[in-house]
Amino acid sequence: MNVLVLLPVQARHRTQLERAVPGARLTYASAQSVTDEQIEAAEVIIGNLDPERLPRARRLRLLQLNSAGYDNYVAAGTLPAQAGLACATGAYGQAVSEHMLAMVLSMMKRLPAYRDAQRAHAWTDEGEVTTLRGAKVLVLGAGDIGTHFATLAAALGARVRGIRRSAHGPRPPFEAVVSMDGLFSELAGADVVVSFLPSTPETRGLANGRFFSAMRRGAYFANGGRGDLVVTEDLVAALESGRLAGAALDVTDPEPLPADHPLWDAPGALVTPHVAGWYHLAVTLDNIVDISAENLRRLAAGEEPRNLVRI
C-alpha cells in the first residue's frame, strides 16, 4: 500500500502510522510541496490535498482529511470514482470548544474593553458583567464539538439545550436537543447562542436578519463552525443596533476578513482568524493521527473506514 502523508507529523506520529500497516510504503510531504508523481502513486492520502489536484490520484482508494469539514470534496467529479472519503470528526472537540468558551467568557466579562483600556493606559471601570451560571445556552450543532462545548458550559452552571437534525430528550450535558424545526422558538429564550454547524445548503445564510431578530435582546452570539452560516451585514446591523450584546467569531464570511470590513469595528465584535482548530493545540494533531492510523488498519483489513462520508 502506498500512503501519502500531508500532515506535519513528528517522529512518534510516523512510527504510529507505519506500525498501523507494516510493509506499506509511506511518503511524507506537505500539501504545498507534494509532487504530481507522489499524488499519482498514492493509494491513500492523509491530509487535505487541493481538490483541483485530485484527478491525478488515479490509484486512490481513500482520502483521509485532516479536517472535520468536507464540503470542498463532495462535488461530483472531485474524487476519483473508486475512492472513499473520510473526515476527521472527533479530532477538534477539545480545541475548538475551549477556544469558543474563552471568547464567550471574554465578551461576558468585558475583557476586550479592558485590554483596550490597558493599551490606552486608562484605569477605567467598564461596568456590569454577566455570567454563564444559570444562563440559557443554545448550541447549534450538537455533535462532537458542540457536545464538548456544552460540557464546559454546563460545568460552569449553564443550562444547555442543543439543535441538531434529530431531536432527543434530556441527555447530559444537554437538558434537551431539538430539531432544526424548533430553532426559532429556541432562539427567543437563549442568553447565548453558539454555532458549530457545518456548511450545507440548509445552513448557509441561516443566521440572517430574521435569525438575529428572533434572539433575545442583549444576548450573545458565537460562531465556531462555518463563516457562511452568517449574513455578515445582518450581524453587523444587529450589533450596531444593540440587539446583540456581542458576537464572538472564529470564522467569518468572507475569509480572510478584508482590513476595511465593518465587522472589525462593529460594537461588541470579537474576531479571531479561524484559529480555534488547526494544530494550535498539540492534541488535535495527535487525534488526527489516531484516526488516520485506525483507518489504515481498517483499509488493510477490508473494513469500512471510520468517519466515512456518504457522497
Side-chain angles (χ1 to χ4, degrees), residues 146-300:
T147 300
H148 270 81
F149 183 90
T151 300
L152 296 175
L156 293 174
R159 299 173 55 191
V160 189
R161 296 172 69 86
I163 295 281
R164 63 178 303 167
R165 289 190 184 94
S166 56
H168 62 72
R171 188 181 302 168
F174 297 100
E175 290 187 349
V177 172
V178 303
S179 69
M180 288 293 288
D181 291 341
L183 172 62
F184 282 90
S185 60
E186 293 290 334
L187 287 174
D191 300 300
V192 181
V193 177
V194 185
S195 177
F196 300 104
L197 290 170
S199 177
T200 69
E202 294 74 29
T203 63
R204 292 178 197 127
L206 177 65
N208 56 16
R210 178 186 172 219
F211 179 102
F212 296 122
S213 294
M215 288 178 61
R216 186 182 64 77
R217 189 170 189 85
Y220 294 91
F221 173 74
N223 189 13
R226 288 292 181 266
D228 62 10
L229 174 88
V230 177
V231 178
T232 308
E233 295 77 11
D234 292 352
L235 174 59
V236 170
L239 290 167
E240 290 178 342
S241 70
R243 160 62 62 179
L244 300 182
L249 309 167
D250 184 54
V251 290
T252 62
D253 185 21
E255 287 187 9
L257 196 63
D260 60 351
H261 197 284
L263 183 59
W264 287 114
D265 298 312
L270 178 59
V271 179
T272 55
H274 206 152
V275 293
W278 197 232
Y279 306 129
H280 295 86
L281 188 65
V283 72
T284 301
L285 180 56
D286 294 343
N287 293 340
I288 294 168
V289 171
D290 287 346
I291 293 168
S292 300
E294 178 181 347
N295 278 348
L296 287 176
R297 287 191 293 269
R298 290 191 178 199
L299 192 65

